[in-house]
Amino acid sequence: MKDTEGASNRDFQRHLEAVLKLSPSTAAITARGVDVTWGQLAQGAARVSEALSTHEVSKFAPVGWSAKNTPGAVVAFVGIVLSGRMVVPLRPGTLSMSFGDDIRQQQLQAVVASASDWDDAEAVANARAVGTIGLALDEDQFLIEAIPGLEKLGSGPFRQEEPDLILERLTSGTTGAPKRVPVSRSAIIPSLHLGDHKQAETGENLTLKSSPTLLFKPFSHAGGLFGLLLALFQARPIVLFEKFNVEEWVAAVAEHKPKVASLVPAMIQMILDAQPEPSALSSLRAVRSGTAPLDPDLQTQFQSRYNIPILVDYGAAEFVGGLAGWTLEDHKQYSAEKLGSVGRVKRGVDLRIVDAETLAPLPANSVGLVEVKSGRFGGGWIRTNDLARFDSDGFLFLQGRSDQAINRGGFKIQPEDVEKQLKSHPDVAEAAVLAKPDKRLGQVPVAVIEVLKGATMPEPEALNELVRANLPAYMVPTEYHSLEALPRTNSMKVSRAELRKLMKL
């Protein structure tokens, strides 16, 4: 990796302080038509940092952060970072866990959240039981005060101090409960440089950017948090959404004219379905897509209608920052022949494919597990659960996940292969294939279908024919079920964990 001299070891806290001083009167955040200036962001963040010290929160203690897409949450995040403490994202209300549950489990000395979050009686009770200091940040003036009864540090026990860590990120939770992945202070800026395709300036050359970032991925999800970090790192203004809405997104692109947008595949499909006029998206030079596999047919349709290249990125759940991805140059040269690839390995990262059984490195065009090596993560090879292959030109093609494979009597089935065939039916909006225990075969595939609005559930035989036409017979599902809407994670991927609960599998 070409280490960004000086910047690779520059503390993100110091870099952020420099960003906040660039243009205090300029808008840093726009949300619901209201601007928050860089100066207001800095003042609010300073109050958060001061409050943590005033309430005697330990110097390097992990601090809970209510990860909602609001200006106040951005202020709180910046304030915790500027205080030198570790940011621990908490999820204010999910399908599987409440805000109060998160407070109880994380055992933190302090939690910074909005007043509305603290209206949750369970959250207050759990904070009191743990001994957590509860700090409420006003969303209008960014004033901060302690919740009555939660002003003083209790007896704990609390999580240990983490001077070498800057934050935690949450995985998507597609296959189970989200995992917490620690991010070190030494890794954060090199990781952000990998995500910054034009290389943000540092030090004396740092300037405020004119093209904004549209942020609508939840901050509680790794992609949303990375988007926030990258915008702050680049000194780029933020147009903030609580969640993705096609009409609002199109209007924001037309008004603010960003050059690049980041969209997960489900969002790309929603935009294509809504058919906004290409002129409304004319400022976009590229769309970056990651988080979930992008259907090549969907990519082709979007690029054909809007003449905007989609640059696919790959980042495994265990790491912050991208591992592989497309550049505009590669897209111009290889987009047709390498369709379906997630691009080539980024600088500073080594990837290899190893045999799932022997763990021996495999040659080009062999499918196996992805292993990653980078100085950001300790320097040794780290194994992922992703299956992939490299072609002879070094382009990476994902082939599913080993932890989702269905073993039907010794035959391995990747759910994504079957789902792609099922989604080709004109009445199917989404499909998920899960493993069902079977006494004879061990596991068999069953499919859960979400049909398009106004459509009816296709006959099982019609769906079987779609699968048989392109896949071996053992991949044909043994059962079909339908739901009005499949459960989704914060990143809009189908939540297999929640779906298994619904289907009692």
Side-chain angles (χ1 to χ4, degrees), residues 351-464:
L351 295 184
R352 68 180 183 183
I353 307 299
V354 301
D355 185 272
E357 300 295 333
T358 67
L359 304 181
L362 296 173
N365 294 308
S366 300
V367 176
L369 291 173
V370 177
E371 287 193 335
V372 181
K373 183 168 70 171
S374 172
R376 289 181 286 152
F377 311 113
W381 287 105
I382 303 172
R383 192 168 306 120
T384 75
N385 286 317
D386 294 322
L387 295 168
R389 65 176 177 86
F390 278 113
D391 72 4
S392 56
D393 294 316
F395 282 84
L396 185 67
F397 291 79
L398 297 182
Q399 307 289 322
R401 288 179 59 87
S402 61
D403 57 355
Q404 293 178 15
I406 300 168
N407 189 339
R408 184 176 187 172
F411 293 95
K412 293 293 182 66
I413 301 170
Q414 284 298 327
E416 294 93 338
D417 295 336
V418 184
E419 291 161 1
K420 180 179 179 180
Q421 300 305 317
L422 295 174
K423 286 189 285 187
S424 69
H425 192 286
D427 291 335
V428 174
E430 186 62 89
V433 174
L434 304 174
K436 180 179 180 178
D438 183 87
K439 289 183 179 180
R440 184 172 67 89
L441 297 173
Q443 293 177 320
V444 293
V446 299
V448 187
I449 303 296
E450 177 185 325
V451 299
L452 290 168
K453 188 175 181 179
T456 57
M457 177 69 178
E459 291 296 325
E461 188 53 42
L463 296 173
N464 287 345

Side-chain angles (χ1 to χ4, degrees), residues 127-192:
R128 184 178 293 111
V130 173
T132 299
I133 293 170
L135 298 173
L137 185 68
D138 168 53
E139 281 282 356
D140 295 322
Q141 301 297 320
F142 308 127
L143 303 175
I144 189 165
E145 61 181 4
I147 297 296
L150 302 179
E151 303 98 332
K152 295 183 179 180
L153 195 65
S155 58
F158 301 113
R159 286 175 53 170
Q160 68 181 29
E161 294 189 39
E162 300 282 5
D164 296 329
L165 301 181
I166 188 169
L167 57 87
E168 283 181 341
R169 57 189 288 271
L170 295 169
T171 62
S172 64
T174 306
T175 58
K179 300 180 183 65
R180 292 182 172 273
V181 180
V183 179
S184 70
R185 295 183 183 278
S186 61
I188 191 67
I189 284 186
S191 297
L192 289 168

Side-chain angles (χ1 to χ4, degrees), residues 69 77 84 121 143 166 250 256 266 275 299 460 501 505:
N69 286 37
F77 177 84
L143 303 175
I166 188 169
V250 171
H256 298 283
Q275 296 284 295
Q299 181 175 357
K501 290 180 183 178
L505 293 176

Side-chain angles (χ1 to χ4, degrees), residues 52-82:
L52 292 170
S53 296
T54 299
H55 287 85
E56 300 181 346
V57 177
S58 298
K59 185 176 180 180
F60 297 112
V63 174
W65 170 59
S66 178
K68 298 195 301 188
N69 286 37
T70 65
V74 177
V75 169
F77 177 84
V78 173
I80 298 170
V81 171
L82 292 184

Side-chain angles (χ1 to χ4, degrees), residues 38 50 181 184 225 248 258 281-282 344 365 425 447 459 492:
W38 289 100
E50 183 181 358
V181 180
S184 70
L225 180 56
E248 291 180 356
L281 309 184
S282 61
R344 294 199 266 199
N365 294 308
H425 192 286
E459 291 296 325
M492 299 185 72

Side-chain angles (χ1 to χ4, degrees), residues 305-378:
R305 174 165 174 78
Y306 294 106
N307 195 29
I308 301 171
I310 297 180
L311 307 179
V312 181
D313 284 327
Y314 165 62
E318 296 85 352
F319 309 96
V320 62
L323 302 175
W326 282 84
T327 63
L328 276 172
E329 291 74 17
D330 276 349
H331 191 276
K332 291 174 183 176
Q333 185 173 356
Y334 295 105
S335 59
E337 61 180 290
K338 307 294 185 181
L339 188 65
S341 170
V342 294
R344 294 199 266 199
V345 178
K346 295 191 176 185
R347 58 182 180 77
V349 176
D350 286 325
L351 295 184
R352 68 180 183 183
I353 307 299
V354 301
D355 185 272
E357 300 295 333
T358 67
L359 304 181
L362 296 173
N365 294 308
S366 300
V367 176
L369 291 173
V370 177
E371 287 193 335
V372 181
K373 183 168 70 171
S374 172
R376 289 181 286 152
F377 311 113

Side-chain angles (χ1 to χ4, degrees), residues 219-256:
F219 291 159
S220 56
H221 176 258
L225 180 56
F226 188 76
L228 173 60
L229 282 164
L230 191 58
L232 294 170
F233 176 64
Q234 294 175 324
R236 190 174 299 281
I238 296 167
V239 181
L240 187 60
F241 301 82
E242 291 186 16
K243 61 182 179 179
F244 182 74
N245 174 283
V246 173
E247 185 177 345
E248 291 180 356
W249 181 83
V250 171
V253 171
E255 178 183 357
H256 298 283

